[in-house]
Amino acid sequence: NWALEKFRAVARQLARPVEFTAGPQEALPEARRFGQLNELADYLSGADLYIGNDSGVSHLAAAVGTPAIVLFCATDPGVWAPRGTAPVTILEGDPEPAAVVNLAMKLLESPDGF
């Protein structure tokens, strides 16, 4: 998985509010947490963009139609990439935060809303 500090670097550089989500056992005090999967799905469906690791949450974001940037550091996106109605952009390896920020800003500023 992509390092938490890299996600934080992206959040600092984006010119808009960013919220983190985390599971109940994850040490991320600033994260928003959800008691039920449907609550997380509702939250994700209202997001302008989701950025995350290859995880179940990434699949959920794609399933509810949220445009997504999904980072694949160790797994094969040809097998495991999320599918959805909104665009899902896959980044492999260990990209620099600036590359993720640039892609995110292009997606967020797209005149057609992705």
Side-chain angles (χ1 to χ4, degrees):
N1 289 333
W2 211 45
L4 177 58
E5 187 48 45
K6 290 187 177 189
F7 281 106
R8 286 189 168 131
V10 169
R12 285 190 300 269
Q13 294 175 52
L14 287 174
R16 55 182 41 218
V18 173
E19 289 189 282
F20 287 89
T21 61
Q25 290 80 26
E26 293 176 284
L28 190 61
E30 71 269 30
R32 179 175 248 189
R33 298 168 197 279
F34 298 88
Q36 301 290 323
L37 190 58
N38 65 318
E39 294 170 356
L40 176 57
D42 287 343
Y43 174 78
L44 290 169
S45 70
D48 293 329
L49 178 66
Y50 167 86
I51 303 172
N53 286 312
D54 172 28
S55 68
V57 179
S58 295
H59 288 271
L60 185 58
V64 299
T66 301
I69 298 171
V70 183
L71 297 141
F72 278 77
C73 298
T75 54
D76 181 359
V79 175
W80 300 109
R83 311 286 190 259
T85 57
V88 175
T89 303
I90 303 300
L91 294 178
E92 294 184 72
D94 189 15
E96 289 300 315
V100 177
V101 170
N102 289 338
L103 177 58
M105 293 309 297
K106 285 179 188 172
L107 293 172
L108 289 166
E109 294 169 357
S110 173
D112 61 358
F114 302 92

